[in-house]
Amino acid sequence: MEKMTIIQAVLCGVVYWLAVGNLPFVGLWSLQRPLVCGMITGLILGHPVQGAVIGATINLVYLGFMSAGGSMPADMGLAGVLGTAYAIVGGLDTDTALALAVPIGILGTIVWAGRMTFDCFFVHIADKYIEKEQYNKIWRANVLFPQIMCFIMTAIPCALAAYFGSNYIQGILNMLSGKVLTVFQIIGGLMPALGIAITLQYIFKGESKVFLFVGFLLAVYSKLPLLTLGIIALLVAVVYVQVTSAMEPARAAVVDDEDDEEDD
């Protein structure tokens, strides 16, 4: 079992803040993804490859992740940072790390709800700046104050959880050793299937159904590496979009002709 230093814990907290702080060029589509923040957490702890592997495993659960209307079903950034940190420090396998990361991600929704609640006060501060015609200060209410609040609510708790939680992770594992830990490992092994199934719900529709079977057969029987399969899938998608776009005028003309016949 490794020992996490205070500096490493603070850096983990900063990574989590950057992941969920909605800053330009970082956040939902980059650092918040468990694959990315897991790799960076592993880099902080001196094991970047292991961090990327653990982060990628956690990321499978969130393949179908969607945050609509301000709702947050899970905090995958927190799951990626703490799940990876606990796995590396405690020497956990990926399945056990995944089983621990998912509840952590659900717990992170409290942070999201708290941020959305307290950020409402900054809107009234901006209104006061407008009433006083202090337009040069509006950025404080829009950027500065919310980010300070976000840092307090994310970086500090995450750093404390990373530092103190990692010290007790081995004791918790010893307490759960045996059947309980085996159950965690089985659950963790099943969770990636859930993420893939959610993604398949979006793929298995309309004309795209055939591509699911083509991709499956190609992956199983061609024995090509994943990078090559990804490039082939990208090229097929580009050709498909080009062909369907070219066919749209013809389809529209057919629909217009049918409408004209019905009118006659």
Side-chain angles (χ1 to χ4, degrees), residues 56-161:
T57 304
I58 297 173
N59 209 140
L60 288 174
V61 181
Y62 301 103
L63 285 177
F65 179 86
M66 179 179 294
S67 176
S71 64
M72 180 64 69
D75 191 339
M76 58 182 173
L78 186 63
V81 173
L82 289 184
T84 303
Y86 290 160
I88 293 177
V89 174
L92 308 180
D93 60 86
T94 54
D95 290 340
T96 307
L98 181 57
L100 292 176
V102 171
I104 292 173
I106 297 175
L107 187 64
T109 58
I110 299 175
V111 177
W112 173 263
R115 284 179 55 203
M116 296 299 101
T117 301
F118 290 113
D119 282 350
C120 294
F121 296 104
F122 303 132
V123 177
H124 300 295
I125 295 176
D127 291 338
K128 292 182 179 179
Y129 286 146
I130 295 174
E131 291 175 359
K132 297 178 181 179
E133 297 184 356
Q134 296 176 336
Y135 303 115
N136 60 321
K137 295 182 180 180
I138 295 178
W139 72 274
R140 298 180 184 178
N142 288 341
V143 180
L144 181 61
F145 299 152
Q147 286 303 320
I148 293 175
M149 175 65 70
C150 181
F151 184 86
I152 294 173
M153 296 185 65
T154 58
I156 296 176
C158 181
L160 293 175

Side-chain angles (χ1 to χ4, degrees), residues 183-195:
V183 171
F184 271 87
Q185 291 172 337
I186 294 174
I187 294 174
L190 293 174
M191 284 181 179
L194 175 63

Side-chain angles (χ1 to χ4, degrees), residues 207-253:
E207 298 176 352
S208 63
K209 290 181 180 180
V210 64
F211 294 109
L212 173 64
F213 296 104
V214 171
F216 177 79
L217 293 173
L218 188 63
V220 172
Y221 294 105
S222 68
K223 306 299 181 182
L224 294 173
L226 289 178
L227 180 60
T228 305
L229 290 173
I231 295 174
I232 293 174
L234 176 62
L235 294 175
V236 171
V238 171
V239 172
Y240 176 75
V241 171
Q242 291 176 342
V243 172
T244 52
S245 299
M247 293 176 61
E248 282 300 324
R251 290 180 179 178

Side-chain angles (χ1 to χ4, degrees), residues 2 4 8-9 12 40-47 84-86 88-89:
E2 298 186 12
M4 179 177 291
Q8 288 175 330
C12 288
I40 296 177
T41 301
L43 181 63
I44 293 172
L45 298 176
H47 301 278
T84 303
Y86 290 160
I88 293 177
V89 174

